Amino acid sequence: HVQLVESGGGSVQAGGSLRLSCAVSVSSANDYCLGWFRQASGKEREWVGSLDSDGRINYADSVKGRFTISKDNANNALYLQMNSLKPEDTAMYYCAADELNHGLAWRGYTYWGQGTQVTVS
């Protein structure tokens, strides 16, 4: 059973930065595709980026160049460094995992965290 716990959300002014963390409780996070998604109020869930089990990282065009995904293998933690934040980045951010590489297809991910709120004003 995989458990994901996000942290690091908060309120920040436009242009600021935040780093989200996702603790992944699994024997080897390297065996999983890990993704970051977000959902703004009244909108559909949106893919932010993902790290597949082959180590490839991909980003949505809306965050490319501003957000960076990284992983700490020793601690089974996934991070999302968010720079140059914009008001349109305001959303609940979720970490997700699955044994298969689903990329941007959020419905394919089996495991989800509870989310952490990011508000940019």
Side-chain angles (χ1 to χ4, degrees), residues 7-8 15 32 47-48 59 63-64 67 75 81 112 115 119:
S7 61
Y32 289 79
W47 174 68
V48 174
Y59 299 94
V63 306
K64 201 172 292 182
F67 291 11
N75 294 306
Q81 177 67 44
W112 290 84
T119 303

Side-chain angles (χ1 to χ4, degrees), residues 1-23:
H1 182 65
V2 179
Q3 287 189 316
L4 306 171
V5 179
E6 302 96 334
S7 61
S11 297
V12 65
Q13 290 188 337
S17 298
L18 281 174
R19 189 176 84 151
L20 305 184
S21 300
C22 175

Side-chain angles (χ1 to χ4, degrees), residues 34-83:
L34 301 171
W36 284 102
F37 293 82
R38 65 187 182 186
Q39 188 165 17
S41 180
K43 296 188 177 181
E44 289 195 359
R45 191 161 297 190
E46 176 188 21
W47 174 68
V48 174
S50 54
L51 166 63
D52 67 26
S53 56
D54 296 322
R56 291 175 296 216
I57 302 176
N58 291 290
Y59 299 94
D61 287 343
S62 59
V63 306
K64 201 172 292 182
R66 300 188 297 123
F67 291 11
T68 303
I69 291 174
S70 61
K71 185 158 65 76
D72 180 343
N73 292 320
N75 294 306
N76 274 354
L78 181 72
Y79 302 104
L80 180 67
Q81 177 67 44
M82 305 185 294
N83 298 327

Side-chain angles (χ1 to χ4, degrees), residues 2 29-35 37 50-54 56 96-111:
V2 179
N30 289 335
D31 295 335
Y32 289 79
C33 173
L34 301 171
F37 293 82
S50 54
L51 166 63
D52 67 26
S53 56
D54 296 322
R56 291 175 296 216
D98 198 84
E99 290 91 340
L100 300 179
N101 291 323
H102 293 289
L104 53 81
W106 69 265
R107 288 182 173 84
Y109 288 77
T110 302
Y111 307 103

